[in-house]
Amino acid sequence: MRTPIIAGNWKMNLTIAEAIELVDGIHYGLPFPGEVDIIVAPPFLCLQKVAEHLQESYIGVAAQNLHVEDQGAFTGECSGKQIKDAGADYVIVGHSERRQYVAETDEIVNKKLKAALRNGLTPIMCVGEILEEREKGQVASVIGRQLTVGLLELTPEQVSGIIIAYEPVWAIGTGKTAKSDQVEDAHRLIRFSLSMKFGGQVGGSVRILYGGSVKPDNSGELLALPNVDGALVGGASLKASDFIEIIKSME
Ligand code: PGA
């Protein structure tokens, strides 16, 4: 049994006051979410405040990134150790915006996954192809490479604790959602690849989220797919009522 997850990636949005207002809105609008894990990923500057505010709540907190090292002379960075200390339990690793804008490679993703695990954080590892790769029929090889290099030297036990998010880059923030068969195919492929590398037990138990323009009007169909265990939501996670509707569409 894989408990579903709805995670909100706030990206570089919201002040501290707005962040608190949003989580309060989620809480009061949905006091009993049922059998689903809810996570929000605030920017670093409001992470601690949000984590403190949510201490007694069912909402978990994720950072959006971490450094590969635990401390040192890395100006402007935050480590897994500091993120854990600030009260988060999860961290997004390898989001496509980081791969795209700050040249984060699969090798860096691998180091960051290790840093997260070493500090007791559950990674949400993002994978997904760009449009050109899809058009060239390279979806399987791209995802295969991201998983092979990204998960290098991790044990089956470690991988079983990771959350994967399949986010086709062309569907992120564009309003273009992948079609149900494209999503299910990619998720099945990820599960198969994990089973081949780490065993059927791991392949069957890892939770795989879909991300890319998930909205209340398409979440029901996407979340009903057999290999989709939830969603990583960007834009629609910034409005409590939309986020709640997405959570409710799991039922
Ligand atoms: P979006 O972002 O829902 O705004 O497309 C998803 C993500 O980047 O995680």
Side-chain angles (χ1 to χ4, degrees):
M1 275 290 102
R2 300 186 298 259
T3 306
I5 302 171
I6 304 293
N9 175 10
W10 296 352
K11 307 192 180 183
M12 198 175 68
N13 293 295
L14 307 181
T15 60
I16 295 173
E18 288 165 347
I20 299 297
E21 193 184 330
L22 175 56
V23 289
D24 280 348
I26 299 167
H27 231 247
Y28 297 130
L30 188 69
F32 305 106
E35 277 299 293
V36 51
D37 292 339
I38 315 291
I39 301 168
V40 294
F44 280 134
L45 284 176
C46 46
L47 185 87
Q48 188 189 359
K49 273 269 181 346
V50 171
E52 276 171 9
H53 193 74
L54 292 177
Q55 230 160 26
E56 305 296 320
S57 136
Y58 61 79
I59 304 174
V61 177
Q64 299 174 14
N65 178 40
L66 79 169
H67 193 264
V68 299
E69 300 291 344
D70 291 345
Q71 68 250 318
F74 302 102
T75 303
E77 297 287 344
C78 285
S79 74
K81 191 172 162 188
Q82 294 169 317
I83 290 166
K84 186 76 186 172
D85 182 52
D89 288 315
Y90 303 86
V91 60
I92 298 172
V93 177
H95 189 279
S96 67
E97 282 150 17
R98 299 203 55 84
R99 293 180 188 259
Q100 227 175 326
Y101 304 139
V102 290
E104 207 161 281
T105 62
D106 294 320
E107 287 76 13
I108 295 174
V109 169
N110 178 247
K111 287 191 181 147
K112 290 190 172 187
L113 288 175
K114 289 173 182 164
L117 292 165
R118 163 169 95 231
N119 285 290
L121 293 164
T122 298
I124 304 172
M125 177 200 192
C126 301
V127 298
E129 79 287 354
I130 61 171
L131 186 59
E132 193 190 344
E133 291 162 341
R134 173 161 287 273
E135 285 173 349
K136 287 188 179 159
Q138 296 171 340
V139 176
S141 61
V142 169
I143 295 177
R145 187 204 70 225
Q146 290 172 334
L147 290 174
T148 303
V149 181
L151 300 174
L152 204 68
E153 293 162 354
L154 299 189
T155 64
E157 199 193 347
Q158 286 175 317
V159 176
S160 66
I162 289 178
I163 299 161
I164 307 253
Y166 169 62
E167 300 204 304
V169 181
W170 47 274
I172 296 177
T174 59
K176 282 187 202 152
T177 323
K179 294 196 184 76
S180 291
D181 57 336
Q182 294 174 319
V183 175
E184 180 59 16
D185 282 355
H187 281 232
R188 230 184 300 120
L189 190 100
I190 292 167
R191 216 174 275 299
F192 178 72
S193 172
L194 293 174
S195 299
M196 296 304 285
K197 289 187 218 308
F198 301 99
Q201 176 83 14
V202 175
S205 64
V206 167
R207 292 179 288 177
I208 308 174
L209 316 182
Y210 169 75
S213 298
V214 175
K215 307 268 181 277
D217 63 0
N218 61 23
S219 56
E221 184 181 340
L222 291 162
L223 295 170
L225 297 168
N227 280 292
V228 173
D229 304 311
L232 181 55
V233 186
S237 71
L238 295 170
K239 207 172 143 198
S241 57
D242 284 353
F243 195 57
I244 289 170
E245 264 195 72
I246 292 170
I247 298 166
K248 283 187 174 166
S249 69
M250 295 262 7
E251 290 156 5

